[in-house]
Amino acid sequence: MGAPTAAVIASNIAPVIAIDGPAASGKGTLARRLAAHYGLPWLDTGLLYRAVAVGVLNHGAALDDEPVAVAIARGLPADFADNPALRTGEAGAAASRVAALPGVRAALLDAQRAFAARPGGAVLDGRDIGTVICPDAPAKLFVTASAEARADRRYRELAARDPAASYDRILADIRKRDADDASRAVAPLVPAADAVLLDTTSLDIDGAFASALAIVQRLLGAPRPGR
Ligand SMILES: Nc1ncnc2c1ncn2[C@@H]1O[C@H](COP(=O)(O)OP(=O)(O)O)[C@@H](O)[C@H]1O
Ligand SMILES: Nc1ccn([C@@H]2O[C@H](COP(=O)(O)OP(=O)(O)O)[C@@H](O)[C@H]2O)c(=O)n1
């Protein structure tokens, strides 16, 4: 990891970049590239919920068994993200179930906030980074794309590993997760009031990154009034 760039240091505010958005909108790709650009650590918070969900299933418990899910959330090992089973479509759908449990969200809160509070700054992506985890982040992006574009992206990603991947099933899963994530009582998927929306439907990865970088540079370079 390199040192934060002069552009960040000159802004005199902690370079915390919060990226939220629905499934397969490209937030992880943008988070990874922004982190590399600024030399910041990156946390994909969706992996936390995926790890809890896979842990609950491996335990033989139901996905709405809150005490089991909370215990697993509290005991996630440091290398939790290394498990390839977290990257499947099933793990994403299961993650959305445990993510609706308030106790699970509470159990994962401190670790996410601690990551965001690293002195040099950080990049986090998820569903509630700009609204709950880092409400004071100076740079918030809400990344969207049409459900069809997102299903196509996820299909290409999963089909490379799983010949049985189905575009129609992925589209249905994305629509269900959008609805479930946006309608849950705790930390629903909603843009923060001060997030900048970035629709990547007609942007390729490089185009989306160029747009995201321009937005973040503007936000980090110009402290908001009163901050
Ligand atoms: N703008 C884009 N155009 C085309 N494909 C993209 C774009 N952004 C991301 N992807 C691809 O779409 C898939 C999902 O992207 P990812 O960043 O993992 O999304 P998210 O983190 O929002 O779920 C990945 O295979 C990624 O390479
Ligand atoms: N900060 C976060 C991140 C993920 N999640 C949940 O975890 C699920 C999986 O998140 P993810 O980011 O790994 O999913 P994708 O967008 O990569 O498909 C989401 O559908 C959300 O329900 C959340 O509630 N809050």
Side-chain angles (χ1 to χ4, degrees):
M1 185 195 316
T5 64
V8 173
I9 293 166
S11 73
N12 204 23
I13 47 177
V16 175
I17 303 174
I19 306 183
D20 290 302
S25 54
K27 58 191 178 302
T29 301
L30 293 176
R32 185 177 63 245
R33 287 190 62 168
L34 286 166
H37 178 86
Y38 285 113
L40 295 172
W42 163 42
L43 180 63
D44 174 350
T45 64
L47 286 176
L48 292 166
Y49 294 92
R50 286 171 180 257
V52 173
V54 168
V56 170
L57 292 174
N58 287 344
H59 192 76
L63 288 167
D64 59 357
D65 188 331
E66 191 158 5
V68 168
V70 167
I72 288 169
R74 288 194 180 130
L76 283 181
D79 62 351
F80 74 92
D82 295 345
N83 181 358
L86 305 189
R87 316 265 169 184
T88 65
E90 291 74 19
S96 181
R97 300 269 307 277
V98 298
L101 303 172
V104 169
R105 303 203 76 87
L108 297 175
L109 187 70
D110 285 351
Q112 294 175 83
R113 289 224 171 117
F115 191 94
R118 290 174 178 213
V123 182
L124 293 87
D125 80 279
R127 300 292 186 290
D128 62 342
I129 309 303
T131 51
V132 175
I133 305 297
C134 308
D136 294 326
K140 297 181 186 177
L141 273 177
F142 193 88
V143 185
T144 62
S146 71
E148 290 78 9
R150 290 185 282 126
D152 184 59
R153 293 172 187 173
R154 188 57 32 101
Y155 171 73
R156 289 168 194 269
E157 182 185 347
L158 295 180
R161 286 179 272 139
D162 176 9
S166 148
Y167 171 85
D168 289 340
R169 206 166 56 226
I170 290 169
L171 179 59
D173 172 65
I174 277 181
R175 288 199 166 122
K176 175 164 169 40
R177 271 212 285 154
D178 284 355
D180 289 349
D181 289 349
S183 65
R184 69 184 172 215
V186 280
L189 172 66
V190 58
D194 54 349
V196 176
L197 300 188
L198 176 60
D199 187 333
T200 68
T201 305
S202 56
L203 297 174
D204 64 12
I205 291 179
D206 286 343
F209 176 64
S211 297
L213 184 59
I215 293 165
V216 170
Q217 280 178 335
R218 176 168 57 79
L219 295 173
L220 290 182
R224 290 173 292 174
R227 301 241 167 208

